[in-house]
Each structure stands twice: as structure tokens, then as C-alpha cells.
Amino acid sequence: MARPLIGIPSPIERARWGAWDEPAHVLNRSYVDAVHRAGGAAVILPADPDWVTDPDQALDLIDGLLLAGGVDVDPQFYGAERHPETKRTVPERDTIEIALARRALERDMPLLGICRGMQLINVALGGTLHQHLPDVVGHGEHRRVIGSFANSDHDVELEPGSLAARAAGEEVHVTKSHHHQGVDRLGEGLVVTGRSMLDDLPEAVEIPDRRFALGVQWHPEADERSRLISALVEEAAAARVA
Ligand code: MN
């Protein structure tokens, strides 16, 4: 059977490579490799503005949607003023990912949001974010080193029987962490099924009446022991034959 196709909307960044220094689609290779290890094939989706009004054209190409990490979601999308620590945002990417996430949920397409991707799902469903966690939880342990997962591993406690616990394969899960924002008011239909054992911050959210709609605040693509991306690929394969 052909491998299930996992669509990953690409970040848009100014990047330097070879002779060039200009806007580019740049996705961490770790996402593509993790999908490959899980038996899927990654399809990197460019920032085509027409997908805002016609998300089905993108979703018709794929069997599952993975929303990757990256820059903060622009606070305009949850009606907040910009915090000084919310520095660079890419509203063009937010707009496309919000449209893809909402439509994937309407279609009941398997959906996994990672870090920013979890926060984006929350915003797409009307929720809000904490813009700078050290102001809220009083510590910086969710992101100790910018651009590295070093020394930020922490445990999350997952709700027994939840999709998060089934996908992780355990109820206490050690996580690769790199975030300074977090879920504040929960979006419509979401339930919190994982919390940081440091401070009770929501670290997993899901929609119980969808086949696979999960957001995690940590980085399974950076953890070769993690089963989470395999769980997405398996559900995408099942969704395709169903
Ligand atoms: Mn964390």
C-alpha cells in the first residue's frame, strides 16, 4: 500500500543558503525525517494564498495534516495587543494554517499540531494564548536556550485513555520543550488532556469527537523515541482506506 501523505505547511522565513539571502520556504528537516521513520511521506505545503479561501485544494492532496512549530502566532488572530516578547510574527502563515486547520477539522482529517501548531489550533477555534510564560508561571523552564532543546526536557502528565496518552503510549511523558507561549483560554470543543508537571500548564489538547485531532506543546519530531507522529501516520492510513 502506498504510504500515507502527511501535509506540513511550510514556515516562510528570510533565509540564507548558497548565494541567496531572501524569503524562502524553510521547514526543519526533522519533521520530514520523523514522518518518514513513521512510514509516511511528508508533503511540504507552500504558502499559497488561495488556500485561505480554498483549503480543500490543499487537503485533497494529503491524508493527514501536521502543523509545525515556529514563530509566535500574531496576537491579532486572538484579539490581543502585542506583548513586547511577542517579537516577529508571520500573519500570512497564520492565515493559511488557520484556514487549513479549521477545514481539516470539519472534514475530520487526522490533525496533529506541534508547539506553535497546538497554539494555532487553539486560536483557530477561538482560544487565546499567554504571550510570555515567564510572566505567568514565574520561570523559563519551557525554553532555556533559544534555538535548542538543551536542558528544557520536562515531564507532562497525560489523561488516562485520552488520545494524547494513547498516541504517546504512556501517561507520564518526557518532552523536548522549546516554547515561551502557551494556551490561555481554551478554544471551542477542545479539552486539555496533558499538563506540565512543572506548573500545570496545558501541554496537550484534543477534540474528543474527532478521529484524531491533537495538539501537543512539545516536539515529538525531535525525539526518536516518541510514538506521536507514528500515531498520526497510522490514523492517516486508516482514514484513507475508510
Ligand atoms: Mn513545556
Side-chain angles (χ1 to χ4, degrees):
M1 196 175 74
R3 291 177 293 163
L5 301 176
I6 304 300
I8 310 176
S10 177
I12 320 161
E13 298 287 335
R14 188 176 181 97
R16 292 175 60 183
W17 78 103
W20 307 106
D21 178 356
E22 62 176 44
H25 289 88
V26 281
L27 177 70
N28 314 64
R29 181 171 176 164
S30 53
Y31 290 98
V32 174
D33 290 347
V35 169
H36 182 265
R37 281 199 303 275
V43 175
I44 300 175
L45 301 172
D48 186 320
D50 285 15
W51 287 344
V52 175
T53 50
D54 188 10
D56 282 323
Q57 194 182 32
L59 299 179
D60 285 345
L61 302 172
I62 59 177
D63 303 303
L65 181 65
L66 192 164
L67 299 175
V71 295
D72 295 335
V73 177
D74 196 285
Q76 68 177 281
F77 295 107
Y78 50 95
E81 295 292 318
R82 178 180 295 263
H83 183 289
E85 290 297 324
T86 301
K87 291 193 171 128
R88 202 170 55 82
T89 58
V90 184
E92 180 188 14
R93 178 183 176 194
D94 300 337
T95 304
I96 293 171
E97 290 189 349
I98 287 169
L100 292 172
R102 286 181 179 154
R103 184 63 188 138
L105 291 170
E106 283 173 10
R107 290 172 57 150
D108 205 13
M109 172 176 277
L111 170 65
L112 174 63
I114 291 177
C115 195
R116 164 199 155 88
M118 161 173 155
Q119 296 166 5
L120 187 117
I121 291 169
N122 190 55
V123 170
L125 295 172
T128 65
L129 303 180
H130 292 303
Q131 292 192 48
H132 194 55
L133 287 176
D135 292 353
V136 179
V137 297
H139 65 79
E141 295 195 28
H142 294 280
R143 184 185 71 182
R144 284 189 176 277
V145 183
I146 292 180
S148 165
F149 297 113
N151 302 320
S152 292
D153 288 17
H154 65 78
D155 288 348
V156 296
E157 190 163 31
L158 304 176
E159 183 75 25
S162 64
L163 172 58
R166 286 181 280 122
E170 55 194 3
E171 290 166 9
V172 175
H173 189 61
V174 63
T175 63
K176 298 282 178 201
S177 182
H178 187 279
H179 60 109
H180 82 113
Q181 297 198 336
V183 164
D184 182 6
R185 194 183 73 230
L186 206 55
E188 191 177 342
L190 287 168
V191 296
V192 175
T193 54
R195 289 190 181 273
S196 163
M197 294 173 79
L198 294 170
D199 49 27
D200 268 356
L201 185 78
E203 294 257 356
V205 296
E206 58 192 78
I207 304 179
D209 69 355
R210 290 295 184 278
R211 63 184 304 153
F212 191 109
L214 176 63
V216 298
Q217 189 56 77
W218 66 91
H219 284 270
E221 84 287 356
D223 179 0
E224 292 201 11
R225 294 165 303 172
S226 174
R227 288 196 64 261
L228 270 151
I229 291 173
S230 294
L232 172 70
V233 169
E234 285 164 21
E235 192 64 32
R240 182 162 59 176
V241 299

mmCIF file with all atom_site columns, all heavy atoms in Angstrom, residues 78-91:
data_model
loop_
_atom_site.group_PDB
_atom_site.id
_atom_site.type_symbol
_atom_site.label_atom_id
_atom_site.label_alt_id
_atom_site.label_comp_id
_atom_site.label_asym_id
_atom_site.label_entity_id
_atom_site.label_seq_id
_atom_site.pdbx_PDB_ins_code
_atom_site.Cartn_x
_atom_site.Cartn_y
_atom_site.Cartn_z
_atom_site.occupancy
_atom_site.B_iso_or_equiv
_atom_site.pdbx_formal_charge
_atom_site.auth_seq_id
_atom_site.auth_comp_id
_atom_site.auth_asym_id
_atom_site.auth_atom_id
_atom_site.pdbx_PDB_model_num
ATOM 1   N N   . TYR A 1 78 ? -6.177 36.471 17.893 1.00 0.00 ? 78 TYR A N   1
ATOM 2   C CA  . TYR A 1 78 ? -6.989 36.201 19.090 1.00 0.00 ? 78 TYR A CA  1
ATOM 3   C C   . TYR A 1 78 ? -7.330 37.484 19.842 1.00 0.00 ? 78 TYR A C   1
ATOM 4   O O   . TYR A 1 78 ? -7.650 37.461 21.035 1.00 0.00 ? 78 TYR A O   1
ATOM 5   C CB  . TYR A 1 78 ? -6.351 35.138 19.994 1.00 0.00 ? 78 TYR A CB  1
ATOM 6   C CG  . TYR A 1 78 ? -4.891 35.330 20.365 1.00 0.00 ? 78 TYR A CG  1
ATOM 7   C CD1 . TYR A 1 78 ? -4.530 35.942 21.555 1.00 0.00 ? 78 TYR A CD1 1
ATOM 8   C CD2 . TYR A 1 78 ? -3.871 34.852 19.539 1.00 0.00 ? 78 TYR A CD2 1
ATOM 9   C CE1 . TYR A 1 78 ? -3.193 36.081 21.913 1.00 0.00 ? 78 TYR A CE1 1
ATOM 10  C CE2 . TYR A 1 78 ? -2.530 34.998 19.883 1.00 0.00 ? 78 TYR A CE2 1
ATOM 11  C CZ  . TYR A 1 78 ? -2.205 35.608 21.066 1.00 0.00 ? 78 TYR A CZ  1
ATOM 12  O OH  . TYR A 1 78 ? -0.877 35.752 21.421 1.00 0.00 ? 78 TYR A OH  1
ATOM 13  N N   . GLY A 1 79 ? -7.301 38.599 19.107 1.00 0.00 ? 79 GLY A N   1
ATOM 14  C CA  . GLY A 1 79 ? -7.843 39.843 19.650 1.00 0.00 ? 79 GLY A CA  1
ATOM 15  C C   . GLY A 1 79 ? -7.073 40.417 20.805 1.00 0.00 ? 79 GLY A C   1
ATOM 16  O O   . GLY A 1 79 ? -7.655 41.055 21.687 1.00 0.00 ? 79 GLY A O   1
ATOM 17  N N   . ALA A 1 80 ? -5.732 40.223 20.807 1.00 0.00 ? 80 ALA A N   1
ATOM 18  C CA  . ALA A 1 80 ? -4.927 40.751 21.908 1.00 0.00 ? 80 ALA A CA  1
ATOM 19  C C   . ALA A 1 80 ? -3.931 41.777 21.392 1.00 0.00 ? 80 ALA A C   1
ATOM 20  O O   . ALA A 1 80 ? -3.551 41.773 20.223 1.00 0.00 ? 80 ALA A O   1
ATOM 21  C CB  . ALA A 1 80 ? -4.185 39.609 22.605 1.00 0.00 ? 80 ALA A CB  1
ATOM 22  N N   . GLU A 1 81 ? -3.512 42.644 22.294 1.00 0.00 ? 81 GLU A N   1
ATOM 23  C CA  . GLU A 1 81 ? -2.418 43.556 21.998 1.00 0.00 ? 81 GLU A CA  1
ATOM 24  C C   . GLU A 1 81 ? -1.109 42.776 22.013 1.00 0.00 ? 81 GLU A C   1
ATOM 25  O O   . GLU A 1 81 ? -0.970 41.805 22.758 1.00 0.00 ? 81 GLU A O   1
ATOM 26  C CB  . GLU A 1 81 ? -2.348 44.667 23.061 1.00 0.00 ? 81 GLU A CB  1
ATOM 27  C CG  . GLU A 1 81 ? -3.558 45.587 23.075 1.00 0.00 ? 81 GLU A CG  1
ATOM 28  C CD  . GLU A 1 81 ? -3.640 46.441 21.815 1.00 0.00 ? 81 GLU A CD  1
ATOM 29  O OE1 . GLU A 1 81 ? -2.594 46.950 21.382 1.00 0.00 ? 81 GLU A OE1 1
ATOM 30  O OE2 . GLU A 1 81 ? -4.756 46.559 21.266 1.00 0.00 ? 81 GLU A OE2 1
ATOM 31  N N   . ARG A 1 82 ? -0.152 43.212 21.233 1.00 0.00 ? 82 ARG A N   1
ATOM 32  C CA  . ARG A 1 82 ? 1.146  42.547 21.172 1.00 0.00 ? 82 ARG A CA  1
ATOM 33  C C   . ARG A 1 82 ? 1.952  42.784 22.452 1.00 0.00 ? 82 ARG A C   1
ATOM 34  O O   . ARG A 1 82 ? 2.130  43.917 22.882 1.00 0.00 ? 82 ARG A O   1
ATOM 35  C CB  . ARG A 1 82 ? 1.926  43.066 19.965 1.00 0.00 ? 82 ARG A CB  1
ATOM 36  C CG  . ARG A 1 82 ? 3.317  42.496 19.791 1.00 0.00 ? 82 ARG A CG  1
ATOM 37  C CD  . ARG A 1 82 ? 3.970  43.093 18.566 1.00 0.00 ? 82 ARG A CD  1
ATOM 38  N NE  . ARG A 1 82 ? 3.245  42.685 17.375 1.00 0.00 ? 82 ARG A NE  1
ATOM 39  C CZ  . ARG A 1 82 ? 3.603  41.649 16.597 1.00 0.00 ? 82 ARG A CZ  1
ATOM 40  N NH1 . ARG A 1 82 ? 4.666  40.943 16.858 1.00 0.00 ? 82 ARG A NH1 1
ATOM 41  N NH2 . ARG A 1 82 ? 2.886  41.346 15.544 1.00 0.00 ? 82 ARG A NH2 1
ATOM 42  N N   . HIS A 1 83 ? 2.406  41.699 23.070 1.00 0.00 ? 83 HIS A N   1
ATOM 43  C CA  . HIS A 1 83 ? 3.311  41.768 24.223 1.00 0.00 ? 83 HIS A CA  1
ATOM 44  C C   . HIS A 1 83 ? 4.722  42.063 23.707 1.00 0.00 ? 83 HIS A C   1
ATOM 45  O O   . HIS A 1 83 ? 5.078  41.608 22.618 1.00 0.00 ? 83 HIS A O   1
ATOM 46  C CB  . HIS A 1 83 ? 3.251  40.401 24.932 1.00 0.00 ? 83 HIS A CB  1
ATOM 47  C CG  . HIS A 1 83 ? 4.053  40.294 26.188 1.00 0.00 ? 83 HIS A CG  1
ATOM 48  N ND1 . HIS A 1 83 ? 5.436  40.264 26.189 1.00 0.00 ? 83 HIS A ND1 1
ATOM 49  C CD2 . HIS A 1 83 ? 3.674  40.166 27.484 1.00 0.00 ? 83 HIS A CD2 1
ATOM 50  C CE1 . HIS A 1 83 ? 5.860  40.132 27.443 1.00 0.00 ? 83 HIS A CE1 1
ATOM 51  N NE2 . HIS A 1 83 ? 4.808  40.077 28.244 1.00 0.00 ? 83 HIS A NE2 1
ATOM 52  N N   . PRO A 1 84 ? 5.548  42.794 24.470 1.00 0.00 ? 84 PRO A N   1
ATOM 53  C CA  . PRO A 1 84 ? 6.903  43.102 23.977 1.00 0.00 ? 84 PRO A CA  1
ATOM 54  C C   . PRO A 1 84 ? 7.722  41.858 23.629 1.00 0.00 ? 84 PRO A C   1
ATOM 55  O O   . PRO A 1 84 ? 8.625  41.934 22.784 1.00 0.00 ? 84 PRO A O   1
ATOM 56  C CB  . PRO A 1 84 ? 7.543  43.868 25.140 1.00 0.00 ? 84 PRO A CB  1
ATOM 57  C CG  . PRO A 1 84 ? 6.443  44.285 26.027 1.00 0.00 ? 84 PRO A CG  1
ATOM 58  C CD  . PRO A 1 84 ? 5.228  43.455 25.743 1.00 0.00 ? 84 PRO A CD  1
ATOM 59  N N   . GLU A 1 85 ? 7.424  40.725 24.270 1.00 0.00 ? 85 GLU A N   1
ATOM 60  C CA  . GLU A 1 85 ? 8.185  39.497 23.977 1.00 0.00 ? 85 GLU A CA  1
ATOM 61  C C   . GLU A 1 85 ? 7.615  38.714 22.790 1.00 0.00 ? 85 GLU A C   1
ATOM 62  O O   . GLU A 1 85 ? 8.176  37.692 22.400 1.00 0.00 ? 85 GLU A O   1
ATOM 63  C CB  . GLU A 1 85 ? 8.253  38.598 25.216 1.00 0.00 ? 85 GLU A CB  1
ATOM 64  C CG  . GLU A 1 85 ? 9.122  39.171 26.316 1.00 0.00 ? 85 GLU A CG  1
ATOM 65  C CD  . GLU A 1 85 ? 10.594 39.319 25.913 1.00 0.00 ? 85 GLU A CD  1
ATOM 66  O OE1 . GLU A 1 85 ? 11.101 38.463 25.170 1.00 0.00 ? 85 GLU A OE1 1
ATOM 67  O OE2 . GLU A 1 85 ? 11.218 40.312 26.331 1.00 0.00 ? 85 GLU A OE2 1
ATOM 68  N N   . THR A 1 86 ? 6.472  39.172 22.258 1.00 0.00 ? 86 THR A N   1
ATOM 69  C CA  . THR A 1 86 ? 5.968  38.588 21.011 1.00 0.00 ? 86 THR A CA  1
ATOM 70  C C   . THR A 1 86 ? 6.626  39.372 19.891 1.00 0.00 ? 86 THR A C   1
ATOM 71  O O   . THR A 1 86 ? 6.144  40.433 19.506 1.00 0.00 ? 86 THR A O   1
ATOM 72  C CB  . THR A 1 86 ? 4.435  38.692 20.934 1.00 0.00 ? 86 THR A CB  1
ATOM 73  O OG1 . THR A 1 86 ? 3.878  38.007 22.059 1.00 0.00 ? 86 THR A OG1 1
ATOM 74  C CG2 . THR A 1 86 ? 3.887  38.069 19.656 1.00 0.00 ? 86 THR A CG2 1
ATOM 75  N N   . LYS A 1 87 ? 7.743  38.859 19.415 1.00 0.00 ? 87 LYS A N   1
ATOM 76  C CA  . LYS A 1 87 ? 8.577  39.715 18.563 1.00 0.00 ? 87 LYS A CA  1
ATOM 77  C C   . LYS A 1 87 ? 8.193  39.597 17.107 1.00 0.00 ? 87 LYS A C   1
ATOM 78  O O   . LYS A 1 87 ? 7.435  40.392 16.585 1.00 0.00 ? 87 LYS A O   1
ATOM 79  C CB  . LYS A 1 87 ? 10.046 39.426 18.827 1.00 0.00 ? 87 LYS A CB  1
ATOM 80  C CG  . LYS A 1 87 ? 10.396 39.916 20.243 1.00 0.00 ? 87 LYS A CG  1
ATOM 81  C CD  . LYS A 1 87 ? 11.861 39.970 20.515 1.00 0.00 ? 87 LYS A CD  1
ATOM 82  C CE  . LYS A 1 87 ? 12.126 40.668 21.860 1.00 0.00 ? 87 LYS A CE  1
ATOM 83  N NZ  . LYS A 1 87 ? 12.968 39.925 22.747 1.00 0.00 ? 87 LYS A NZ  1
ATOM 84  N N   . ARG A 1 88 ? 8.676  38.591 16.421 1.00 0.00 ? 88 ARG A N   1
ATOM 85  C CA  . ARG A 1 88 ? 8.418  38.516 14.984 1.00 0.00 ? 88 ARG A CA  1
ATOM 86  C C   . ARG A 1 88 ? 7.259  37.555 14.744 1.00 0.00 ? 88 ARG A C   1
ATOM 87  O O   . ARG A 1 88 ? 7.239  36.452 15.272 1.00 0.00 ? 88 ARG A O   1
ATOM 88  C CB  . ARG A 1 88 ? 9.653  38.016 14.249 1.00 0.00 ? 88 ARG A CB  1
ATOM 89  C CG  . ARG A 1 88 ? 9.668  38.399 12.784 1.00 0.00 ? 88 ARG A CG  1
ATOM 90  C CD  . ARG A 1 88 ? 11.021 38.081 12.189 1.00 0.00 ? 88 ARG A CD  1
ATOM 91  N NE  . ARG A 1 88 ? 11.364 36.689 12.398 1.00 0.00 ? 88 ARG A NE  1
ATOM 92  C CZ  . ARG A 1 88 ? 10.927 35.707 11.639 1.00 0.00 ? 88 ARG A CZ  1
ATOM 93  N NH1 . ARG A 1 88 ? 10.144 35.953 10.618 1.00 0.00 ? 88 ARG A NH1 1
ATOM 94  N NH2 . ARG A 1 88 ? 11.266 34.460 11.882 1.00 0.00 ? 88 ARG A NH2 1
ATOM 95  N N   . THR A 1 89 ? 6.296  37.995 13.972 1.00 0.00 ? 89 THR A N   1
ATOM 96  C CA  . THR A 1 89 ? 5.190  37.120 13.601 1.00 0.00 ? 89 THR A CA  1
ATOM 97  C C   . THR A 1 89 ? 5.066  37.118 12.079 1.00 0.00 ? 89 THR A C   1
ATOM 98  O O   . THR A 1 89 ? 5.594  38.007 11.404 1.00 0.00 ? 89 THR A O   1
ATOM 99  C CB  . THR A 1 89 ? 3.863  37.586 14.237 1.00 0.00 ? 89 THR A CB  1
ATOM 100 O OG1 . THR A 1 89 ? 3.595  38.922 13.813 1.00 0.00 ? 89 THR A OG1 1
ATOM 101 C CG2 . THR A 1 89 ? 3.926  37.538 15.762 1.00 0.00 ? 89 THR A CG2 1
ATOM 102 N N   . VAL A 1 90 ? 4.382  36.093 11.547 1.00 0.00 ? 90 VAL A N   1
ATOM 103 C CA  . VAL A 1 90 ? 4.201  35.970 10.097 1.00 0.00 ? 90 VAL A CA  1
ATOM 104 C C   . VAL A 1 90 ? 2.709  35.747 9.836  1.00 0.00 ? 90 VAL A C   1
ATOM 105 O O   . VAL A 1 90 ? 2.251  34.609 9.693  1.00 0.00 ? 90 VAL A O   1
ATOM 106 C CB  . VAL A 1 90 ? 5.054  34.814 9.518  1.00 0.00 ? 90 VAL A CB  1
ATOM 107 C CG1 . VAL A 1 90 ? 4.931  34.758 7.994  1.00 0.00 ? 90 VAL A CG1 1
ATOM 108 C CG2 . VAL A 1 90 ? 6.521  34.956 9.924  1.00 0.00 ? 90 VAL A CG2 1
ATOM 109 N N   . PRO A 1 91 ? 1.927  36.855 9.817  1.00 0.00 ? 91 PRO A N   1
ATOM 110 C CA  . PRO A 1 91 ? 0.465  36.706 9.686  1.00 0.00 ? 91 PRO A CA  1
ATOM 111 C C   . PRO A 1 91 ? 0.042  35.932 8.435  1.00 0.00 ? 91 PRO A C   1
ATOM 112 O O   . PRO A 1 91 ? -0.985 35.242 8.461  1.00 0.00 ? 91 PRO A O   1
ATOM 113 C CB  . PRO A 1 91 ? -0.028 38.159 9.643  1.00 0.00 ? 91 PRO A CB  1
ATOM 114 C CG  . PRO A 1 91 ? 1.033  38.941 10.348 1.00 0.00 ? 91 PRO A CG  1
ATOM 115 C CD  . PRO A 1 91 ? 2.334  38.246 10.054 1.00 0.00 ? 91 PRO A CD  1
#
